Amino acid sequence: MQSPVGKDDRPLVLVADDEPSVLATVVPFLRRSGFRTIAASDGLVALAEIARHQPAVCVLDVLMPGADGREVLRRLRHEQNWVPVLLLTQVGESVERAMALEEGADDYLNKPFDPHELVARIRAVLRRSGRDGVPLANAAVLEAAHGLKVDRVGRRAWLGDHELVITPKGFTLLEYLMVHQDDLIERSRLLEVLWGFEDAVGTRAVDSRVAELRRVLGEDPTAPLWIETVQGKGYRFIAEVRGTSGRT
């Protein structure tokens, strides 16, 4: 099913979910928030609507009949369709979230969620997708100002000509911050990304990983080049980031 698509410049958002209650809540809220919308009840319908209307962003439930959200994402990326995709995942499914990001999702949101948070994530994704070059979520290589380069496929990083030695979780943290350049990422969000809900660790563990990255980068936290601390909130990657498809 779909809503009328008017000829205006408001971003068009496709929402695909097989739960009628989710569509009944989310779609009207997105319209009130300034978006045009298309709704789909399964992945195959979503693929047809994406091809027909070319939305600005897609919100896909991971668990859907026909084709689930990750399958829709895989098909889009296989077709070289880089439309931004935000996946709706189940709370605690850290493996699902990690695989979704590796397969080219721009972001994810755990169910149940606050519609205001969904709107914020959509706007952030749209802001990032408007930059030149390969979309950061789908780039094989991320290059930041001041000589920082990250090979996401080879899981290696360089500062100038010097290869950096980073722990796996430190690398994941750096990669996530770079992909979400200029967004304020709260500690609780980074905790999800790095450990998932099932791991009993606190937000201080996130601070320790950030401190690790700063040591590796030789960064002064009082005058950061890359990672800025937002007191009482979290962190922001402040250097400009460009995505490329080439390998290091």
Side-chain angles (χ1 to χ4, degrees):
M1 69 182 172
Q2 72 179 69
S3 60
V5 180
K7 293 184 178 181
D8 58 43
D9 59 359
R10 292 177 300 157
L12 177 61
V13 179
L14 177 136
V15 182
D17 198 303
D18 63 326
E19 296 183 45
S21 60
V22 173
L23 295 179
T25 300
V26 170
V27 170
F29 190 88
L30 290 177
R31 291 175 185 159
R32 292 195 299 272
S33 300
F35 298 101
R36 292 181 292 138
T37 61
I38 301 172
S41 57
D42 66 60
L44 295 179
V45 173
L47 283 167
E49 296 286 24
I50 292 167
R52 182 176 301 116
H53 296 292
Q54 299 180 352
V57 63
C58 299
V59 179
L60 309 174
D61 185 26
V62 166
L63 300 177
M64 289 189 294
D68 63 29
R70 284 180 51 210
E71 176 61 23
V72 173
L73 173 63
R74 283 193 292 268
R75 293 192 193 186
L76 291 172
R77 300 306 184 236
H78 180 72
E79 297 167 357
Q80 302 294 300
N81 185 333
W82 306 116
V83 59
V85 171
L86 190 153
L87 290 181
L88 303 178
T89 64
Q90 300 300 313
V91 170
E93 295 294 331
S94 58
V95 174
E96 284 286 345
R97 295 195 295 272
M99 293 179 68
L101 294 173
E102 288 180 4
E103 290 170 349
D106 293 75
D107 209 342
Y108 68 86
L109 190 60
N110 290 315
K111 282 185 166 183
F113 55 86
D114 183 340
H116 291 89
E117 177 68 10
L118 176 62
V119 168
R121 296 289 178 82
I122 289 172
R123 287 174 175 158
V125 166
L126 288 172
R127 188 167 61 250
R128 293 195 300 271
S129 66
R131 296 169 180 158
D132 295 334
V134 178
L136 297 183
N138 307 296
V141 175
L142 300 171
E143 298 180 358
H146 314 296
L148 180 61
K149 179 183 290 187
V150 169
D151 176 359
R152 303 175 71 194
V153 180
R155 308 298 286 177
R156 303 169 71 186
W158 289 262
L159 185 57
D161 296 328
H162 174 66
E163 183 167 356
L164 303 175
V165 179
I166 309 176
T167 62
K169 276 189 167 51
F171 187 95
T172 299
L173 173 61
L174 177 61
E175 178 185 26
Y176 191 83
L177 288 171
M178 291 178 73
V179 167
H180 296 81
Q181 187 263 332
D182 205 39
D183 289 346
L184 168 58
I185 311 297
E186 295 186 356
R187 287 178 173 84
S188 58
R189 179 67 169 177
L190 294 174
L191 193 62
E192 291 179 26
V193 171
L194 294 175
W195 285 278
F197 281 107
E198 64 270 22
D199 289 281
V201 298
T203 55
R204 286 188 178 182
V206 173
D207 297 335
S208 296
R209 293 298 176 180
V210 172
E212 170 202 330
L213 282 181
R214 285 174 167 158
R215 286 194 300 270
V216 170
L217 294 169
E219 178 167 74
D220 179 358
T222 65
L225 296 176
W226 298 284
I227 303 170
E228 176 186 68
T229 301
V230 181
Q231 292 297 330
K233 294 290 185 178
Y235 299 95
R236 177 185 285 115
F237 196 88
I238 57 176
E240 189 66 29
V241 180
R242 182 174 69 94
T244 68
S245 58
R247 294 292 301 275
T248 300

